[in-house]
Amino acid sequence: MLRVRVSLARVGLLLVVCAFQPARAELLGEEDLAEVVRKPAIGLYKGYAEFKMAHYAEAKQIWTALAERGMGEAWFNLGILAEDGLGEPQDGAEARRRYEKAALAGSRNAALRLGTSLQTHRFGAPDVAGARHWLKTAADMGDDEAATQLAVLDGTTQRPVSAADRRLAQARRLEADGSLPDALAAYRAIADAGDPRGLTRLAWLHEAGRGVPRNLGEAARLFRQAAEAGEPEGQYALSVMLETGAGQAQDGAQALRWLRASAEGRYPPAIEALKAR
């Protein structure tokens, strides 16, 4: 079987110029890991590309190198590996530990994940006080979904909560609790109601194989629908797929177009990726 290794020395300031194939990757050598540390935004992007190709050992190696140097989003991604048992044994306690390190290092994605999951049995007994703390942390970082979830959790009227935001918050809790058939149905209903965030959430489930068979082609289709509807997270995910050729044909120009669109929509990973160019 062909073995593929993507060298960070050849990615320029952002773009991964090697076409990824559905083959087994190699762990990075010392030179490439040093490049990851020197250019962490690019390294984070590369780790995400490896993750999309189900090269979990390679993604973990990259994210570990960045996490050890305090990068919150790297800790968040490592938490996903532990939570879903991707490339390592599934371990809820370890996932929570990594998410907490991520949130303390400034990852609002991790703070939102904790705030959502701790309302459920995902990491053991529900911890409503912990959920409230992390939702407030994410909201203070500017995360609108966390602010909505906090308002729903507290039953407050200080922040108006739309019906669409309430439905999404409920669907995210279903996913966090492992009620994947119900979460899938809820996301489909959200998407059918015209909210592209439902498309993005469905795409993530298809990409990771959570509740459905893993299907990169279907994930790419859904991410594209969300992106074309103006959803920044979907635009970022589509950008990575176009850059790597995962799930659809590789197209660097379109990848950059969607990355810029995502950054204009204020999606933090896209903003950081463009800064590194």
Side-chain angles (χ1 to χ4, degrees), residues 12-255:
L13 286 176
L14 172 66
L15 303 181
V16 181
V17 299
C18 176
F20 285 79
Q21 301 296 329
R24 196 165 48 135
E26 289 181 346
L27 292 176
L28 273 65
E30 291 184 5
E31 180 181 346
D32 286 340
L33 278 179
E35 191 76 2
V36 164
V37 173
R38 283 195 298 270
K39 300 177 180 178
I42 297 173
L44 194 68
Y45 187 92
K46 173 180 165 44
Y48 182 45
E50 296 282 13
F51 176 86
K52 279 189 174 293
M53 294 302 296
H55 297 160
Y56 301 127
E58 292 73 24
K60 183 176 181 179
Q61 183 193 30
I62 292 168
W63 290 333
T64 297
L66 295 171
E68 288 174 346
R69 288 156 180 83
M71 191 173 193
E73 287 307 308
W75 276 116
F76 169 68
N77 292 331
L78 289 172
I80 291 173
L81 296 182
E83 181 178 358
D84 288 341
L86 300 173
E88 63 180 272
Q90 190 172 27
D91 188 333
E94 176 62 12
R96 179 175 179 174
R97 184 187 76 83
R98 293 176 186 179
Y99 288 144
E100 288 175 346
K101 290 182 76 70
L104 290 171
S107 170
R108 73 183 197 181
N109 283 326
L112 174 61
R113 189 82 157 217
L114 285 165
T116 302
S117 298
L118 291 176
Q119 298 176 60
T120 74
H121 293 84
R122 185 67 174 173
F123 300 143
D127 179 359
V128 176
R132 184 177 290 109
H133 167 76
W134 290 115
L135 286 174
K136 185 177 186 307
T137 298
D140 289 345
M141 293 179 191
D143 193 288
D144 289 339
E145 184 180 343
T148 297
Q149 288 221 25
L150 185 60
V152 171
L153 180 64
D154 288 342
T156 179
T157 58
Q158 294 179 355
R159 174 187 170 89
V161 178
S162 70
D165 285 347
R166 190 177 296 275
R167 284 194 296 269
L168 183 64
Q170 291 168 344
R172 290 294 294 266
R173 286 198 297 274
L174 287 170
E175 181 185 353
D177 202 24
S179 301
L180 296 179
D182 291 336
L184 281 160
Y187 289 143
R188 289 191 183 105
I190 289 168
D192 290 344
D195 186 340
R197 295 176 297 180
L199 293 168
T200 297
R201 299 314 309 170
L202 282 172
W204 287 125
L205 293 181
H206 280 85
E207 180 179 280
R210 301 190 72 207
V212 289
R214 187 169 188 267
N215 187 330
L216 287 182
E218 179 64 6
R221 186 185 72 81
L222 292 165
F223 280 135
R224 180 173 290 280
Q225 286 187 5
E228 290 174 347
E231 208 284 302
E233 186 176 356
Q235 290 169 338
Y236 177 77
L238 178 62
S239 170
V240 178
M241 284 191 144
L242 286 164
E243 194 59 59
T244 61
Q248 58 186 337
Q250 191 177 28
D251 188 331
Q254 286 299 307

Side-chain angles (χ1 to χ4, degrees), residues 230 232 235 257-267 270-271 274:
Q235 290 169 338
R257 172 200 165 199
W258 288 114
L259 185 67
R260 286 173 171 160
S262 180
E264 289 171 3
R266 301 180 63 187
Y267 187 61
I271 293 170
L274 280 179

